[in-house]
Amino acid sequence: MQSKRSRPFLKWAGGKYRLLDKLSPHLKGTKLIEPFVGSGAVFLNTDFERYLLGDINPDLINLYQCLKKEKGKFVNYAKSFFTEENNKQIAYLDFRVEFNAGVKGRRRAALFVYLNRHGFNGLCRYNKSGGFNVPFGRYKKPYFPEKEMYHFIHHARKTKFVCDDFVALMNRSRRGDVVYCDPPYVPLSPTASFTSYAAQGFSYDQQVELAYRAKILANRGVKVIISNHDNAITRKIYEDAEIESFPVRRFISCDGSNRANASELLAIYQ
């Protein structure tokens, strides 16, 4: 793990920046595979020889691929959206409509950065039809993460980004690789609402499938680490793994007074 930590350039619910101390001892090897890369907090703060980073969210992977390919040219293009005129609800909603109408390529990637930094609480949320539906955030002056984007570019030189599901990514692992999985967490309670950042969602059966795949890989010499809430459901799902549990403060919540500690765990298959 690097001595000086680097924050991701995207705001991201469930980002693992605050878990780096817990994860660090388990992330040793030549190649890291992340099937749920999210904001890339783990990738950005490790030093593997190679990376295979994937996610089911095509907008996220499109952004990362554009940034890796175009480098500073894309940074400058994305920065052009961060103006006083664009920091108004009417402009935000117009850009969101354009985004949901199916704009492609680098403009879609730049709009994704804009929506991420101007939308409410940095959420990335889609409705069942796949439409991005996060409301305007009303920030005085949204921060453009130029420094963080350049660090991402530097670190992405030895990285391959792919849009695919966790099964496909895990199947590409080989003996000696390390696989870190940060799936959408199970609800804290049976009545808790759960909205996935990907339109496809992530079901209980997929949580079970992920644990099953992890066990198979461990038997083939691939170390797998999975993070999730620590509750009765996950304890059952990960019953074949070594468990490390710890409290983590939740920072993204609609109710600012309700950002209490929640128990999380690492399930380690090796």
Side-chain angles (χ1 to χ4, degrees):
M1 203 67 73
Q2 299 169 174
S3 57
K4 186 177 181 181
R5 292 201 178 143
S6 302
R7 288 189 176 275
F9 69 87
L10 292 174
K11 298 166 75 174
W12 207 255
K16 290 298 167 285
Y17 185 81
R18 297 178 184 89
L19 288 191
L20 292 172
D21 284 341
K22 302 292 185 182
L23 285 166
S24 178
H26 304 292
L27 301 177
K28 309 294 183 184
T30 57
K31 182 179 180 181
L32 177 66
I33 299 175
E34 289 193 65
F36 307 88
V37 66
S39 66
V42 175
F43 145 68
L44 290 168
N45 289 281
T46 54
D47 192 24
F48 286 79
E49 293 178 13
R50 291 174 295 144
Y51 295 87
L52 175 61
L53 307 179
D55 206 283
I56 198 66
N57 185 330
D59 293 325
L60 186 69
I61 299 302
N62 176 55
L63 167 58
Y64 290 167
Q65 290 172 337
C66 284
L67 185 55
K68 179 183 178 181
K69 180 181 178 180
E70 297 189 21
K71 303 179 175 62
K73 184 178 179 181
F74 179 80
V75 175
N76 292 334
Y77 178 59
K79 189 175 184 178
S80 70
F81 288 82
F82 284 63
T83 65
E84 184 177 349
E85 187 64 27
N86 286 344
N87 189 27
K88 297 177 180 177
Q89 182 167 336
I90 187 169
Y92 176 87
L93 294 178
D94 283 345
F95 281 132
R96 195 178 71 178
V97 167
E98 180 186 358
F99 186 83
N100 287 334
V103 63
K104 306 288 186 182
R106 72 194 301 260
R107 184 168 179 87
R108 186 173 188 85
L111 284 176
F112 192 68
V113 178
Y114 166 85
L115 293 170
N116 176 262
R117 285 284 169 175
H118 290 74
F120 176 73
N121 232 356
L123 294 174
C124 181
R125 190 184 65 193
Y126 300 81
N127 59 30
K128 291 182 179 179
S129 301
F132 189 89
N133 64 356
V134 178
F136 182 55
R138 303 184 187 279
Y139 299 109
K140 186 175 181 180
K141 187 177 181 180
Y143 172 69
F144 180 71
E146 185 169 0
K147 178 184 70 174
E148 292 84 352
M149 291 176 82
Y150 275 108
H151 175 73
F152 185 99
I153 292 168
H154 175 78
H155 216 61
R157 291 175 301 170
K158 47 190 177 181
T159 300
K160 182 176 180 62
F161 297 102
V162 296
C163 183
D164 217 332
D165 63 30
F166 69 91
V167 174
L169 266 292
M170 294 175 84
N171 282 342
R172 293 172 68 168
S173 64
R174 298 293 181 266
R175 178 177 295 274
D177 291 347
V178 179
V179 179
Y180 170 58
C181 298
D182 181 30
Y185 280 16
V186 300
L188 278 170
S189 67
T191 57
S193 62
F194 181 78
T195 303
S196 176
Y197 80 104
Q200 295 91 343
F202 202 78
S203 68
Y204 172 80
D205 287 344
Q206 287 173 302
Q207 300 279 1
V208 173
E209 174 78 0
L210 176 60
Y212 170 72
R213 298 282 173 176
K215 185 177 179 181
I216 291 176
L217 291 189
N219 291 332
R220 297 175 180 170
V222 178
K223 184 175 184 178
V224 182
I225 304 102
I226 306 174
S227 54
N228 216 316
H229 284 311
D230 185 359
N231 58 25
I233 296 172
T234 54
R235 287 282 176 160
K236 177 62 177 175
I237 293 173
Y238 306 135
E239 61 184 358
D240 295 318
E242 302 171 29
I243 300 292
E244 289 186 11
S245 180
F246 42 86
V248 174
R249 187 166 177 80
R250 286 178 291 158
F251 284 84
I252 292 193
S253 168
C254 292
D255 180 2
S257 64
N258 190 33
R259 301 185 182 188
N261 284 348
S263 291
E264 296 195 12
L265 59 74
L266 296 179
I268 303 149
Y269 294 83
Q270 58 185 345

